[in-house]
Amino acid sequence: MKNTPSILGTYFAFAAVLAATIGCGSGGGSPGIELQGAGASFPAPLYTSWFKEYSKAHKGVQIDYQSVGSGSGVTAVIDGTVDFGASDAAMKEEEMAKVERGVQLLPMTAGAIVLAYNLDGVDELKLSREAYVDIFLGKIKKWNDPKIAATNEGVSLPDQEINVVVRSDSSGTTYVFTQHLSTISPEFAESPGTNKAPNWPVGTKSKGNEGVTTSLAQNPGSIGYVEFGYAMKAKLAMVSLENKSGEFIKPSIASAQAALAGVEMPENLIAWLPDPEGKDSYPIVTYTWIIAYKKYDSEEKVKVFKDLIQYCLTEGQNSSESLGYIPLPESVVAKVSAALDNISAGK
Amino acid sequence: MDQHKKSPISRPPTSLEINTDLAFRYTCLGFAWLTIAVMCYIVFEISWKAGPAIQEYGLGFLSTQTWDPNTKEYGILPEIWGTLYSSAIALLIGSLFGVSVAVFLSEGYLGNFVFSILKIFGVQFHPFWGKLPSASETALKNLVELLAAIPSVVYGLWGIFVVIPMMRDSCNWLYENMGWFPLFGTRFQGPGMLPASFVLAIMILPTISAISRDALVAVPPKLREASYGLGATRWETILSVILPTASGGIFGGIVLAFGRALGETMALAMLVGNVNTIKVSLFSPANTLAALLANNFSEAGSDEMKVGVLMYAGMVLMAITLGVNVIGALILQRATAGVKGLN
């Protein structure tokens, strides 16, 4: 009984700590401008590096980017919980209609999706359109299948089962990849079809570009699709794919740029390249977008945001290649830059 | 006079003490009710959000096998199977090791071993070294419990980088030579049921071993002495007296671990392969409810039906966990009824 006051004191102290913790959560605003972004994981390494550089060069400006996936990015824009979103599956008409303030999509960079594989003793692999569609449909089950052997003379392919790795989460990368497969194969279009999370007939699943990359590196006999930069960093072997002209193209910045060159960017800045033309074009390439609102409530935010995008379009593009992304063509940069005029302050 | 002041019993409590007591009592009561209220709110929220999906898919949701957002066909039978199967295997491995560790730590095996080593150096009664046997037991106990502090992502990575490559050769040998046996019926490609269950077993091991050890330590010493007195050997005592007496506690630990195994998410999402198949083979990839939720939730936001479907799956997982706990509690009641008189 004698130490009751001290127990009481402990409770008071506990309550004080609790109050202080809660206080920290809600308060603690920093001076200056803060921009919140969320979305695609595909360009996340590039965005993170851009925003870090920009914040460093501009005192009082803080830009946060959460790599939560394209779908979540779009949802966040609709709910208005962020200042900008990011998606590599762009945005559907009906999704845009849900945003009262209006949205402006800004292509920021482009990337190639590669088929990376892990097969002992096979450093070079060429796959025909039929072959890689059939692998992802589960119709080709072994590495020494005649359809694979036909385009790989002189390569000793093992009598081993193919372990297909696909994405387990709903993903923009998957959307672009299935869009390509659906374009070149009616059978694939029928089922599974173009989707951020299709019902794959085959394959084990890993989360994120990171997960698929790790899975490929760890399991001999496997093949899967990842963004070029991820495969490059993990030093995975990449398949040369047959393009529309029937050429086998090795994935590289140059061959992806060749694919981009053939596409005219439309007014709304949403261009798809499901099966690019051109002899030297790598077949699976996509733009990825930052989603901005057309109206912001603060004049200062608009100013900073526009300045940030200009920085990304000019200086930022220089760092794209080293991270495995494709710098935007000059004509696209001009169009994106002009589209910034659609963004203004007000209601 | 002084004596009188020091004795707390000989004076009535002051009003401050009474009020503090009351305040404490009602604070505790308040938090207890708050916990229950939060629980009820979560259940309500989940079932409310699951409503549209329950109406749309009904019980067929539990018995069909397709998960296809394109055609809006959803069924979670493979996930239910995978959840129960992986947890059962994990429990089998985990409880075998967990109870063994608990016996090893509570019956003085390690202490005796350290003691006999100290004896070689002749320092077994030294004031410093003499404390080593019991200290080593405490150290090992803490070490095992430390396993519970490792984040589940780390377990997942460890599984991918260490466990799977380690298992690959022997598993494929089993498949090639004993493929006729249903458990080894498919080729081991990497992610799958066995690596997932194995890692899960290690994750639940500290729960089982800590609770089992507490139960074993709590067995009254007179039982042990009586058993030795009747001429039983140490192993006979452990197997037929001590383990049965502590079985209630051990079983409680196992039920708790099963609950944890059912709900474990991240490590499984990384290791199980996330494929909707129902196969008995240990080497085949599979899926679990928790992994399904983890993989699909982040991008389900804009699609109300998809959120509903996932909430429905979450409800099923909750129901399974609840069912396991209720059955566990019932068995526990039965098991402990027989040994209550001993204490």
Side-chain angles (χ1 to χ4, degrees):
Chain A
M1 286 285 171
K2 219 169 92 190
N3 55 0
T4 313
S6 82
I7 291 177
L8 202 66
T10 316
Y11 274 91
F12 273 123
F14 177 67
V17 169
L18 204 68
T21 322
I22 294 166
C24 279
S26 58
S30 58
I33 299 287
E34 207 178 322
L35 286 177
Q36 288 273 355
S41 69
F42 179 94
L46 184 60
Y47 286 179
T48 322
S49 117
W50 281 350
F51 298 159
K52 212 169 97 191
E53 286 297 313
Y54 186 85
S55 297
K56 222 191 277 170
H58 297 77
K59 282 260 150 63
V61 176
Q62 170 79 34
I63 296 146
D64 290 325
Y65 183 71
Q66 306 277 333
S67 150
V68 288
S70 300
S72 300
V74 170
T75 313
V77 167
I78 292 170
D79 296 344
T81 53
V82 287
D83 295 315
F84 64 91
S87 164
D88 34 61
M91 215 169 160
K92 287 183 196 147
E93 288 287 330
E94 68 250 36
E95 286 169 339
M96 290 191 207
K98 285 185 198 164
V99 186
E100 272 175 40
R101 291 196 267 163
V103 287
Q104 176 65 52
L105 269 80
L106 307 162
M108 294 312 294
T109 188
I113 294 170
V114 302
L115 291 188
Y117 65 97
N118 178 345
L119 198 59
D120 275 344
V122 181
D123 302 325
E124 295 255 338
L125 193 67
K126 291 176 182 164
L127 289 181
S128 64
R129 310 203 124 193
E130 206 186 354
Y132 66 81
V133 170
D134 281 359
I135 288 175
F136 282 90
L137 280 173
K139 282 160 76 186
I140 293 181
K141 290 192 162 44
K142 294 217 162 178
W143 279 106
N144 59 356
D145 192 278
K147 276 184 191 160
I148 300 178
T151 53
N152 292 283
E153 270 177 55
V155 179
S156 66
L157 294 161
D159 178 21
Q160 193 179 346
E161 275 172 62
I162 300 176
N163 177 31
V164 179
V165 184
V166 298
R167 287 281 288 271
S168 61
D169 50 334
S170 156
S171 119
T173 313
T174 307
Y175 184 84
V176 174
F177 183 61
T178 52
Q179 189 186 39
H180 170 72
L181 294 184
S182 299
T183 312
I184 64 171
S185 155
E187 193 184 347
F188 194 94
E190 186 107 332
S191 162
T194 306
N195 201 288
K196 281 190 245 182
N199 183 21
W200 291 103
V202 70
T204 58
K205 296 178 186 163
S206 293
K207 192 172 165 67
N209 271 301
E210 306 89 333
V212 174
T213 310
T214 318
S215 202
L216 291 171
Q218 289 298 311
N219 299 301
S222 51
I223 188 168
Y225 59 92
V226 285
E227 198 277 324
F228 177 64
Y230 285 92
M232 192 175 73
K233 235 188 295 167
K235 299 198 170 67
L236 291 172
M238 297 177 227
V239 180
S240 299
L241 297 178
E242 185 186 357
N243 70 7
K244 201 170 186 178
S245 319
E247 305 281 334
F248 290 92
I249 305 293
K250 224 180 156 68
S252 68
I253 299 287
S255 61
Q257 255 170 336
L260 288 189
V263 188
E264 182 67 22
M265 184 60 76
E267 187 72 11
N268 65 359
L269 300 182
I270 301 177
W272 295 110
L273 312 77
D275 195 16
E277 309 271 352
K279 227 170 83 102
D280 306 317
S281 300
Y282 182 76
I284 320 176
V285 179
T286 182
Y287 282 109
T288 176
W289 292 266
I290 275 186
I291 307 166
Y293 292 108
K294 282 192 170 159
K295 299 275 178 199
Y296 284 90
D297 45 14
S298 135
E299 192 90 42
E300 270 184 317
K301 251 185 195 175
V302 175
K303 217 176 122 223
V304 171
F305 183 74
K306 284 188 180 177
D307 190 46
L308 168 73
I309 298 295
Q310 285 294 1
Y311 165 83
C312 299
L313 289 173
T314 51
E315 255 178 82
Q317 296 295 321
N318 300 331
S319 57
S320 301
E321 270 187 56
S322 61
L323 288 165
Y325 296 88
I326 311 155
L328 294 177
E330 286 294 328
S331 60
V332 177
V333 170
K335 278 190 176 169
V336 178
S337 188
L340 285 178
D341 291 340
N342 296 339
I343 300 168
S344 60
K347 289 206 168 164
Chain B
M1 232 7 224
D2 245 26
Q3 204 69 28
H4 174 75
K5 252 190 179 171
K6 264 183 188 165
S7 165
I9 308 165
S10 52
R11 66 171 171 78
T14 63
S15 62
L16 176 68
E17 282 165 350
I18 291 173
N19 288 333
T20 330
D21 270 1
L22 277 178
F24 179 69
R25 189 176 147 193
Y26 284 111
T27 315
C28 287
L29 209 67
F31 277 113
W33 279 111
L34 196 67
T35 312
I36 294 170
V38 167
M39 182 69 206
C40 289
Y41 173 71
I42 291 173
V43 172
F44 166 75
E45 184 78 17
I46 290 178
S47 14
W48 190 65
K49 286 224 171 115
I54 296 176
Q55 266 177 4
E56 175 82 24
Y57 299 101
L59 285 177
F61 187 63
L62 306 178
S63 57
T64 52
Q65 300 190 25
T66 323
W67 184 277
D68 188 353
N70 250 0
T71 56
K72 303 232 179 287
E73 273 178 81
Y74 297 105
I76 55 163
L77 188 63
E79 282 80 14
I80 296 177
W81 160 256
T83 305
L84 292 173
Y85 194 39
S86 63
S87 303
I89 299 171
L91 208 63
L92 210 69
I93 307 173
S95 50
L96 192 69
F97 279 87
V99 175
S100 307
V101 168
V103 169
F104 183 69
L105 287 175
S106 65
E107 299 303 312
Y109 281 95
L110 184 63
N112 284 358
F113 176 70
V114 175
F115 186 81
S116 60
I117 287 180
L118 291 178
K119 216 164 144 186
I120 298 172
F121 297 103
V123 290
Q124 72 269 36
F125 297 120
H126 188 275
F128 176 74
W129 297 110
K131 290 195 179 105
L132 207 57
S134 63
S136 63
E137 270 175 20
T138 317
L140 189 60
K141 169 183 160 274
N142 289 336
L143 211 63
V144 174
E145 276 164 29
L146 212 61
L147 285 175
I150 298 174
S152 130
V153 172
V154 175
Y155 274 112
L157 288 174
W158 178 68
I160 291 175
F161 288 106
V162 180
V163 176
I164 292 179
M166 201 175 70
M167 284 179 166
R168 183 172 286 117
D169 288 338
S170 36
C171 288
N172 277 333
W173 185 88
L174 279 173
Y175 164 69
E176 270 149 29
N177 294 287
M178 291 173 70
W180 50 268
F181 191 61
L183 286 182
F184 311 137
T186 48
R187 177 171 284 279
F188 184 84
Q189 295 278 23
M193 194 56 108
L194 188 63
S197 308
F198 181 77
V199 170
L200 201 53
I202 293 170
M203 296 178 77
I204 60 173
L205 193 135
T207 312
I208 299 182
S209 76
I211 297 177
S212 302
R213 185 183 166 276
D214 287 347
L216 289 169
V217 169
V219 171
K222 63 184 175 191
L223 272 180
R224 209 165 303 205
E225 284 152 21
S227 172
Y228 288 139
L230 287 170
T233 64
R234 195 180 189 186
W235 270 115
E236 284 164 352
T237 308
I238 291 173
L239 287 179
S240 49
V241 177
I242 296 178
L243 278 180
T245 313
S247 65
I250 294 175
F251 196 79
I254 291 177
V255 170
L256 208 64
F258 198 49
R260 161 118 210 247
L262 289 171
E264 177 49 45
T265 308
M266 210 51 228
L268 277 172
M270 292 165 85
L271 289 170
V272 83
N274 305 303
V275 178
N276 294 4
T277 50
I278 302 183
K279 288 217 176 102
V280 183
S281 168
L282 291 173
F283 307 150
S284 145
N287 206 357
T288 71
L289 284 169
L292 179 85
L293 293 175
N295 282 322
N296 287 285
F297 228 105
S298 64
E299 299 206 16
S302 54
D303 184 345
E304 198 175 299
M305 186 50 94
K306 190 147 188 221
V307 172
V309 166
L310 290 172
M311 287 291 183
Y312 194 2
M315 262 178 78
V316 173
L317 181 58
M318 258 182 5
I320 293 176
T321 315
L322 187 70
V324 166
N325 276 309
V326 167
I327 295 171
L330 287 177
I331 299 179
L332 201 63
Q333 242 174 17
R334 281 278 169 82
T336 44
V339 284
K340 249 181 195 152
L342 290 171
N343 299 329

